[in-house]
Amino acid sequence: MADVIMKHSKAVIALWLVVLVCALPFGIKSGDVLEYDMNSMSGSSTEASDGQAIIDEHFSNSIDLSEILVISYSSSEELAAAQAIFVEFQNLMDDKYGAKTTVSNYGTYSKGDPNVEGILMIAIANNEGESWDIAHETDNIRDLVKEAKSNASAAYPEAAGLTTYVTGNDAITYDTENSSMEDVSKVDPLSILLIFVLLGLFFYAVVTAVVPPAVVGMAYGIALAAVYAIGCLMGVYYITQTLILVSMLGAGCDYAIFIITRYRDERKKGLSHEDALKTAIMWGGEAVFTSGISVIIGFAALALCDFAMVRTMGIILAIGIAIALVAALTFIPSLLNLVKDKIFWPSNIESYKRVEDKVQNGGKLGVHGHLSKGSKRYFAWLSRNTHKHSKLIAIALVVLCIPGLYIFAESEDSADMISVMPDSESVDGLDLIMTQTDGGTIMPTYIVLEMNESIATVGSLPYGGMSIPYVIWNEHGLDPATMTGAVPAVMKMTKDIDAEYEIVGSISGLNSWQIMYMTVESALGTTDPSTINQVLYGQMPSAVKGYVGMILAIASGQAPTHIDPTAFTASWNSYVISGYPLTVANIIDGILNVGTGILSDDGQYVSVMVITTDKPMSADTMDFLAELRSDLHDGDESYDSVYSNIWSASYVAGTSASIDDMSKDIEDQFSMIRIVVAILLIVLLFFILGSYLTPIRSIITILLSVFLTVALTHVVFEGLMDTPVLFLIPIVLFVVLLGLGMDYEIFMTTKIRENKIKGMNNDEAIDNAIKEAGPVISLCALLMGGTFLTLVLANSSMLKELGFALGMGILIDGLLMVGYVSPALMHLMGDWSWKGPGFLTRRHGLNPDGSNMAVPAACSAAPADAERIGGEMPVRAVPATPEEVAKYKQECYSEVAVRQDRIAALNAEVKTLTDNKRIGRLDEEGEKELEAKRSELKAEKESLREFQRKSREDLRSGKGQ
């Protein structure tokens, strides 16, 4: 790959730019396909989704609470002003939207006296369905509310000061979308600034600080086109766009930095530009490729989830990382090949060398020098102490993990999506509704019953420009002679549920005016219709009270506009209207059952509405749903069994039920996905590293990072901020950290293996890797962890929790686990870290037992003042003391590494020239160059062998003295 990139650098860069230009028009439209309602992205068949599908298909009159105007009042005068605002608002909505919307009074609600203090709720129904997006009319509707308040204040001065909110599911969607865009505009610049500052300090260069985020930005532009394409097919949850940006910024910059740093380090060692770039691509590229594949595996595993929200998140994140990986492996080396050392402007290789010389030999240090000196001291200290105190570090890890694992096991994750919504007018309105009414008023739970057969004839009749529903029960719905059938059965069930659960604020099921009439008649001991009707009228819900009163008024001969409850004289079976053989009971039953969305249009389904006193999706509400489902479905005493002659199936539906199903199903599926990800990563590392134990050890350390991070997240958000931790957090954290966190494990482990291959023993290979790879790994962890942590500035608690968990997880893994724990454990494991099958270990120059094949047990570069072997490499006097032996060995490892890199580079050049000769593209000068390179390669190999032989002899002589 190195040869192809170096030959075709300009073409590679041009190809990337062409792809970017083609992708941008689609990427710009990616925001159009984002979804903001998690409930709409289940994508999996569950009890709640099946029940909701029945409601959507068969209930045309279900109450639409997508948009709600809430007006708060604190006196009877303010209530009158609120009613005036409603009238003005209704007129303004009719003028602007016509038949597209219906504005209706949903009633007054209060925890006390509704005539003194409470809220007036006004439902805004979308009559166009999905063909018209009322959510994006929210700002316009809010403007009409302001105008209505102004108009009403002419007659009611109190109207101007009333607090109003436009809320509901569609308004929440709209506010969440705007909040998301606001978060992106706030988080993105901060992430990029953080990356620029850290890179600038690390490289002490402007260009190097700009290149990685710029290249990732190009890759992100292309990834947005993928977001648009996938979103057109299945929808994309809005947080995915934010997560893909920070993930690509973190991972993409990591990959770019690792390659650029390797190139710089090889140039500082004295290699030519070509040799340094080839080495960076060969060794750094392998580590980056392995890391990228591990991240892609982690994210792609999310695609195994049935739920569209999680599935599309996994697919898009995997695609984003893949694009960033390819950019790092192709665009960055191509750019390096073209600009060479200018990428470090205003620094250069010579200035880096001068800084290192001053750090080692003394001299005046600038900012870069002090940073370099501090870094070298820290990682030298780290290499000594992870080696010296490896057992103590392992014990400390166990001690630290015990409370973390306990908190992880005992903590309960929340499905309360309301608590993590971003602050907005719609959320404030929702909170107001839940303080003045039962918590589940606008997000009810539904018990959907599928009847064995239709229980009624449902129709409507016109009156005064309205369509008034009616219901004629058949014998399966209500048998008047025996008072049996679906209606009394459902009424009995709803009464039992209401009595059994304190959390049930109200429950609305099938109702029969006839049954209610007879019940009141029996209770009051009177047959006077006026008295009975008056009592029944007083029991009607506020949402239908006016319509029932109108029917009773018509039945008693009054004008519908002047309803006097004291004049109700019509009995339930005494009225026929416009030639229809309908009683008052038939019409009122239509209003109570069809008009409120309880009975389906075909009489085949019943939807019982349960409003909980607690908030939707709260822990108590979710516990209630579990018990309710058990009451409906489980055992011979369940409602499904007892009333099997009435209905064939029942479903618990609604927003809370959908989220409950989603959270439980995702948890169940992730039990399998976690295992799949872990196994795939172990297999990947097994073949890449050729080791039995190191892949398992890597997975274990990352899992410990996950446990510690989840525990810390619960402590911070639940313990300190009183915010429940969303169920998605541990799931996403596991997959993301197992992928992105594996980067640092692979960077460190492949560097240790490289040192082993070049001749160092296990402990020396680890110590050298800490010193050389430790700084760049720490930088990468700070970059990625910092970019995720910027999400804590978001308005949404969900993004705050994700940002905190992912950021802290990356920092714990990259700085603590990879910096301290992994090296300590590898010191303790010794060569067991590298034991593996011979067919894999021999590919890397290692024996199956983990020892080196070609490099002697001790050999080293000699100081510059001794004579050279073969005229090339100085070898000092025979080492005599243990200190000299140790120093001799350490120096030799460095020389062997340099010589092997040079041999690898020559091998690559010889292969390229040989390939060109085979296809006839080598001229006479090329033939001469090929022969010269072959001779140089042969001499280098002989020189290395002689150097190794002489080093062994010197060490044996030294040990014998």
Side-chain angles (χ1 to χ4, degrees):
M1 187 175 77
D3 292 331
V4 173
I5 290 174
M6 295 179 72
K7 282 183 179 180
H8 307 290
S9 297
K10 293 181 180 179
V12 169
I13 291 175
L15 179 61
W16 273 104
L17 295 178
V18 169
V19 172
L20 176 63
V21 170
C22 295
L24 278 179
F26 301 100
I28 291 171
K29 298 190 292 183
S30 61
D32 297 342
V33 298
L34 299 181
E35 296 283 350
Y36 296 86
D37 181 7
M38 184 186 291
N39 192 38
S40 68
M41 295 198 65
S42 64
S44 177
S45 178
T46 63
E47 179 180 334
S49 65
D50 292 344
Q52 189 61 50
I54 292 173
I55 292 174
D56 293 340
E57 182 178 354
H58 296 280
F59 291 81
S60 61
N61 291 319
S62 57
I63 298 173
D64 185 353
L65 297 177
S66 295
E67 296 255 353
I68 304 169
L69 170 58
V70 186
I71 307 175
S72 177
Y73 62 90
S74 57
S75 67
S76 56
E77 292 79 14
E78 288 187 355
L79 174 57
Q83 298 284 5
I85 292 174
F86 159 61
V87 174
E88 292 289 342
F89 177 69
Q90 189 176 43
N91 293 333
L92 291 171
M93 288 290 291
D94 287 342
D95 290 343
K96 184 172 181 64
Y97 297 110
K100 286 185 176 180
T101 62
T102 298
V103 177
S104 56
N105 189 333
Y106 194 60
T108 56
Y109 296 86
S110 173
K111 289 293 178 70
D113 185 350
N115 294 315
V116 176
E117 181 181 10
I119 57 173
L120 173 65
M121 290 175 57
I122 299 164
I124 307 166
N126 175 11
N127 298 330
E128 300 293 313
E130 294 183 0
S131 63
W132 185 57
D133 184 11
I134 192 175
H136 284 89
E137 295 295 321
T138 300
D139 264 350
N140 293 329
I141 292 173
R142 286 171 177 159
D143 289 338
L144 293 181
V145 172
K146 294 176 183 177
E147 187 176 347
K149 289 172 66 176
S150 177
N151 294 345
S153 64
Y156 297 88
E158 296 88 352
L162 294 184
T163 302
T164 60
Y165 301 99
V166 174
T167 184
N169 289 336
D170 283 337
I172 290 172
T173 296
Y174 176 78
D175 286 341
T176 302
E177 179 180 353
N178 285 344
S179 178
S180 173
M181 291 187 290
E182 197 177 301
D183 287 340
V184 169
S185 66
K186 181 167 52 179
V187 168
D188 291 0
L190 186 59
S191 299
I192 294 170
L193 178 62
L194 175 67
I195 291 171
F196 182 81
V197 170
L198 289 176
L199 290 181
L201 291 174
F202 183 79
F203 288 103
Y204 211 64
V206 175
V207 175
T208 323
V210 172
V211 167
V215 172
V216 173
M218 174 193 69
Y220 177 66
I222 296 171
L224 286 181
V227 172
Y228 177 75
I230 293 172
C232 289
L233 298 175
M234 59 184 73
V236 177
Y237 195 49
Y238 78 98
I239 66 169
T240 304
Q241 190 171 32
T242 305
L243 285 177
I244 191 177
L245 175 61
V246 293
S247 298
M248 290 181 69
L249 271 176
C253 287
D254 282 2
Y255 304 151
I257 292 164
F258 204 76
I259 291 175
I260 293 172
T261 302
R262 187 60 189 263
Y263 169 78
R264 184 194 65 176
D265 291 346
E266 298 304 324
R267 291 284 288 125
K268 284 160 61 178
K269 291 177 183 177
L271 267 66
S272 66
H273 161 72
E274 290 78 9
D275 291 344
L277 184 55
K278 286 182 179 180
T279 302
I281 296 172
M282 181 173 65
W283 290 105
E286 181 192 26
V288 166
F289 178 76
T290 306
S291 299
I293 294 299
S294 70
V295 178
I296 293 169
I297 288 174
F299 284 149
L302 292 173
L304 299 175
C305 185
D306 289 340
F307 286 86
M309 181 197 72
V310 179
R311 184 169 63 248
T312 56
M313 184 187 297
I315 293 171
I316 289 171
L317 289 174
I319 291 173
I321 295 298
I323 295 172
L325 174 64
V326 176
L329 291 174
T330 58
F331 192 97
I332 292 293
S334 298
L335 188 64
L336 277 171
N337 192 40
L338 294 178
V339 302
K340 299 182 173 61
D341 296 344
K342 294 185 182 66
I343 199 169
F344 303 113
W345 185 90
S347 296
N348 54 51
I349 299 302
E350 293 305 317
S351 67
Y352 288 138
K353 289 180 178 179
R354 286 195 297 271
V355 169
E356 286 201 358
D357 183 64
K358 289 179 181 179
V359 170
Q360 291 178 358
N361 303 316
K364 187 176 180 181
L365 299 176
V367 175
H368 190 206
H370 284 293
L371 291 173
S372 178
K373 184 177 181 179
S375 173
K376 287 183 180 297
R377 282 184 174 180
Y378 171 73
F379 287 102
W381 172 88
L382 187 61
S383 68
R384 289 194 306 272
N385 284 279
T386 53
H387 190 164
K388 182 179 179 181
H389 303 296
S390 55
K391 292 182 181 179
L392 183 61
I393 291 173
I395 294 171
L397 175 67
V398 174
V399 172
L400 179 64
C401 285
I402 289 174
L405 289 171
Y406 175 79
I407 296 174
F408 177 86
E410 292 298 316
S411 298
E412 291 188 8
D413 302 320
S414 171
D416 188 355
M417 300 301 300
I418 295 176
S419 66
V420 297
M421 289 178 179
D423 294 335
S424 62
E425 177 180 330
S426 57
V427 172
D428 291 341
L430 189 61
D431 290 337
L432 176 61
I433 291 172
M434 289 189 292
T435 58
Q436 291 291 345
T437 70
D438 289 326
T441 297
I442 69 167
M443 291 184 184
T445 294
Y446 298 96
I447 303 172
V448 181
L449 304 174
E450 184 174 353
M451 298 297 163
N452 291 328
E453 55 186 295
S454 178
I455 62 175
T457 298
V458 178
S460 63
L461 56 100
Y463 181 82
M466 295 184 298
S467 180
I468 301 178
Y470 64 83
V471 168
I472 302 175
W473 304 111
N474 58 33
E475 61 180 3
H476 303 291
L478 177 62
D479 186 340
T482 60
M483 297 303 288
T484 59
V487 176
V490 174
M491 292 180 74
K492 174 70 166 55
M493 181 187 74
T494 57
K495 182 179 179 181
D496 290 345
I497 291 173
D498 191 22
E500 182 179 355
Y501 296 102
E502 290 185 8
I503 197 173
V504 176
S506 64
I507 182 167
S508 303
L510 287 177
N511 278 301
S512 163
W513 185 265
Q514 178 181 4
I515 294 176
M516 291 187 293
Y517 191 97
M518 293 174 64
T519 302
V520 172
E521 182 181 45
S522 175
L524 296 178
T526 179
T527 58
D528 177 37
S530 178
T531 303
I532 297 171
N533 287 340
Q534 186 172 342
V535 172
L536 288 175
Y537 176 78
Q539 295 176 351
M540 292 295 101
S542 59
V544 298
K545 198 169 188 176
Y547 297 102
V548 173
M550 179 187 71
I551 298 302
L552 292 174
I554 296 170
S556 61
Q558 298 182 54
T561 57
H562 180 71
I563 301 171
D564 180 7
T566 63
F568 289 157
T569 58
S571 64
W572 59 267
N573 60 353
S574 65
Y575 189 68
V576 177
I577 186 171
S578 302
Y580 288 90
L582 302 174
T583 67
V584 171
N586 295 139
I587 301 172
I588 294 179
D589 284 355
I591 294 171
L592 293 176
N593 296 287
V594 179
T596 57
I598 292 173
L599 182 65
S600 66
D601 299 336
D602 55 6
Q604 187 71 46
Y605 299 92
V606 171
S607 176
V608 177
M609 183 169 67
V610 183
I611 295 178
T612 58
T613 56
D614 210 354
K615 294 180 180 180
M617 294 172 278
S618 69
D620 288 343
T621 298
M622 293 310 195
D623 290 342
F624 162 67
L625 292 179
E627 294 178 17
L628 179 61
R629 282 174 167 156
S630 178
D631 288 346
L632 283 168
H633 311 315
D634 299 341
D636 294 337
E637 300 300 318
S638 67
Y639 291 117
D640 286 350
S641 296
V642 172
Y643 295 112
S644 58
N645 62 317
I646 304 294
W647 61 76
S648 57
S650 65
Y651 311 85
V652 177
T655 301
S656 297
S658 295
I659 298 299
D660 187 47
D661 282 347
M662 183 184 299
S663 64
K664 289 177 180 176
D665 280 12
I666 289 177
E667 277 289 350
D668 291 343
Q669 291 176 28
F670 263 82
S671 298
M672 177 268 295
I673 291 175
R674 290 184 182 100
I675 296 172
V676 170
V677 172
I679 291 174
L680 288 176
L681 289 178
I682 288 173
V683 171
L684 171 69
L685 295 180
F686 171 72
F687 282 102
I688 294 294
L689 300 176
S691 167
Y692 293 124
L693 297 180
T694 296
I696 298 173
R697 193 268 311 153
S698 298
I699 294 293
I700 290 173
T701 54
I702 291 179
L703 289 179
L704 291 176
S705 300
V706 173
F707 296 146
L708 290 174
T709 304
V710 171
L712 182 61
T713 304
H714 276 282
V715 169
V716 171
F717 282 89
E718 283 188 350
L720 301 180
M721 301 174 62
D722 196 28
T723 301
V725 176
L726 197 65
F727 73 93
L728 283 174
I729 304 302
I731 293 170
V732 173
L733 179 65
F734 177 88
V735 173
V736 172
L737 204 56
L738 209 59
L740 293 177
M742 187 63 74
D743 278 357
Y744 311 123
E745 282 285 344
I746 291 173
F747 288 165
M748 179 63 77
T749 306
T750 52
K751 181 61 179 177
I752 295 171
R753 188 198 61 186
E754 178 187 340
N755 290 339
K756 283 279 291 179
I757 292 170
K758 292 179 177 179
M760 299 184 191
N761 65 35
N762 188 67
D763 289 342
E764 291 165 331
I766 295 170
D767 294 343
N768 176 269
I770 292 174
K771 294 174 184 176
E772 292 195 5
V776 69
I777 290 173
S778 297
L779 171 69
C780 290
L782 289 171
L783 282 174
M784 190 181 298
T787 55
F788 278 119
L789 284 174
T790 58
L791 291 176
V792 300
L793 300 176
N795 292 321
S796 167
S797 292
M798 184 192 302
L799 285 178
K800 288 179 189 288
E801 291 179 359
L802 279 172
F804 178 84
L806 294 173
M808 292 305 300
I810 293 295
L811 293 178
I812 288 173
D813 186 65
L815 300 181
L816 178 63
M817 292 297 178
V818 176
Y820 289 82
V821 176
S822 294
L825 293 179
M826 293 186 77
H827 276 301
L828 292 174
M829 291 167 65
D831 282 341
W832 279 94
S833 295
W834 307 107
K835 292 184 185 294
F839 76 95
L840 288 177
T841 60
R842 281 189 287 270
R843 288 177 51 212
H844 303 306
L846 300 176
N847 292 310
D849 64 358
S851 61
N852 295 87
M853 291 176 60
V855 182
C859 54
S860 182
D865 58 352
E867 57 183 272
R868 293 175 174 271
I869 294 178
E872 290 188 13
M873 184 60 214
V875 177
R876 72 178 192 179
V878 176
T881 67
E883 291 78 13
E884 289 180 342
V885 170
K887 185 177 180 182
Y888 190 85
K889 288 166 63 178
Q890 183 59 45
E891 291 171 347
C892 181
Y893 285 125
S894 300
E895 173 61 19
V896 169
V898 170
R899 286 170 177 257
Q900 287 188 327
D901 286 343
R902 191 156 59 238
I903 289 172
L906 284 170
N907 264 322
E909 292 184 58
V910 169
K911 182 179 183 305
T912 301
L913 291 169
T914 303
D915 291 342
N916 287 337
K917 180 180 179 180
R918 186 171 60 251
I919 60 177
R921 293 177 57 184
L922 211 61
D923 56 15
E924 186 175 346
E925 289 297 321
E927 293 275 4
K928 292 179 181 179
E929 183 182 1
L930 175 58
E931 290 303 316
K933 291 291 182 182
R934 283 174 174 169
S935 300
E936 186 179 354
L937 177 60
K938 182 179 179 181
E940 285 287 351
K941 289 181 177 179
E942 290 176 353
S943 176
L944 176 59
R945 283 193 293 270
E946 178 61 21
F947 174 76
Q948 292 171 336
R949 183 193 64 75
K950 184 65 169 62
S951 298
R952 286 194 295 269
E953 290 179 357
D954 288 347
L955 283 168
R956 282 195 294 269
S957 299
K959 290 178 182 178
Q961 291 179 7

